[in-house]
Amino acid sequence: MIQYICVILIHNVLSNDAHPFLKKDMKKGHIVIVDDDEDVLITAKMILRNHFETVHTLNSPKTLESFLKANDIDIIILDMNFQTGATTGNEGLFWLRKIKELDDNIHVIMNTAYGDIQLAVECMKEGAIDFLVKPWEKEKLLTTAINVRSIKESKKKIDHLDNTRMTLESDIQKEMGALVGQSKTMKKVYETIKKVAATDANVLITGENGTGKELVARAIHQLSKRSKKNFIKVDLGSLSETLFESELFGHNKGAFTDAKNDRMGRIEIANEGSLFLDEIGNVEAKQQASLLSVLQNRQVTRVGSNKPLDVDIRLICATNKDIEGMVDREEFRQDLLYRINTVELDLPPLRDREGDIEMLANHFLKEYAKKYDKPINKIADDAWDRLNSYPWPGNVRELQHSVERAVIMSDGETLTADDFMIKEKKGPTATTATSLNVEDIEKEAILKAIEKHNGNLTSAAKTLGFGRSTLYRKMTKYGIEQ
C-alpha cells in the first residue's frame, strides 16, 4: 500500500499539471536511454521527459554510432547486457569505450543489475560518470540524471572559460589606445559609432592601414549592449588556408594530426559578444563560402564534427582594400559583402584630420614619457613644423611609433625636430602636398582616364582597374561629371 501511494505521489510530481511552476525553460539537456527492455525505456522516458529538453530511447546499441552522429546528446543511460541470457556486462563495457571514442564529452550512466556492481566500477574507470542498479527507484533515476546534467553544464562552463582565457591571453598583453581627435572628420566618425553601437547591425570599417580600425571596433563593442561579453578579434590576414576553419570554427579531438584536444573556435567563444574580423578582404573564395554559411545560419560546426552549434554574435569587419572593387572583379562574394556591411564606416587618413596631429602627438608624448620614465613634457616649434608638413602615409600608427622613438632617443625635456626621424620632402610645397594626397592622385587619374577614352566610362574603368560601378561611385565622391 505504501509503495502504491509513493508511485502515485511520484507520478503527480512528474506531471506538468501537478507542477505549474515547472516551466519549459527548466527543461535542459538531451538524454538517450539504451536498453533492450521495452518497459524500462517507457518508464524512464515518462520519468525524465518533464526535466529534459529531449529524451530518446534505443532498444539496441547497434544504431548508437549513427544516432550520435546525427544528434547532439549530453547523457546516455546504457544497459550492460543486450544478448539474451548475457550477464557478463562485457557488451556495456564495449559500447562505453565506443561512445567515449566517438565523443568524450558525452556523460555515460551505466544501468546494471545487482551482480554487475564490480563491473560497473570497472566501467567508471573507463570513463562512465555514474551507475544505476536495477531495479532502480524512480527518485534515484531522476536524481542521478539531473545531477549528471549539472556536472555536464558545469564542465561546459569550465571548458568555455578555459578556451576564452587562452584566446584572450595574447590580446590582454597588447597595448590598446583610445580614440583621440576632434577634427570635423573624426566627429562624424564618433557620431556614427554612437548610432551603430546601440544596434546589433553588422559593421564594415574601411580605411588605410594605421587609421585605427580596431580601436573603432572596440569602441562600438564597449558602447553596445554586449559590452560585458567577449570582444574576440580574428586577424584573417595572418591565417593560412589550413588554419582558417580550425581557428574560426574550432575542432574536435582527432580531427587532424595536431588536434590533441577539443578546441572552441573564435566564433563560438564570441557567442553573445562581438566578433571582429580584421582584414576581411584577404579571405580566399573557399573560405568566403564557409564564412557566409556561418553568418547566414548563425551556426558553426567544428572541424571533425557534424553537429552545428548555435551562435549569437555581433559582427564587425575591417579592411584596407577597395572591397566593392573586389566584388566588381569577382574577387569577393557580393552576397558576403551584403552580410557584413549593413553599416559602412570609412575612417579618414591622418592627413585629412585637421588639427588632430597636435592632439595625438601630445597624447602619445604623455603616454611614452610615463612608460619610459622620461621628464619630457613639450614638443618644440621646429618639431611641430616637421610633424604638420609630413603626409603620414602610415597614419596614426606611424605617428605613434615616431613619438615613441623620439621619447626613447631624446636626452632633454623637449622633443625637437632632430628627435623625429622624418625625411622632409623637397620641392614646391603645394605641388608636393598635392602629389602626396592619395585622393587627389586618384581623382586626377580618373579624369585622365576619362579624357583618354573620350568619355567612354567602360574603357576608362578597365584602364583604372575598376569595375564600372566602382568608377561611378568614385566619380560621385569626387564630384566628377561626365
Side-chain angles (χ1 to χ4, degrees), residues 440-462:
D440 288 344
I441 294 171
E442 188 173 57
K443 180 178 179 180
E444 185 178 354
I446 291 172
L447 289 169
K448 286 182 177 179
I450 293 173
E451 183 180 355
K452 177 181 178 181
H453 294 286
N454 298 316
N456 186 318
L457 297 184
T458 300
S459 298
K462 288 182 179 178

Side-chain angles (χ1 to χ4, degrees), residues 461-481:
K462 288 182 179 178
T463 297
L464 293 163
F466 296 156
R468 188 180 174 91
S469 61
T470 300
L471 179 56
Y472 280 134
R473 188 172 60 255
K474 290 184 179 292
M475 287 173 65
T476 301
K477 177 181 178 181
Y478 298 126
I480 300 173
E481 297 181 1

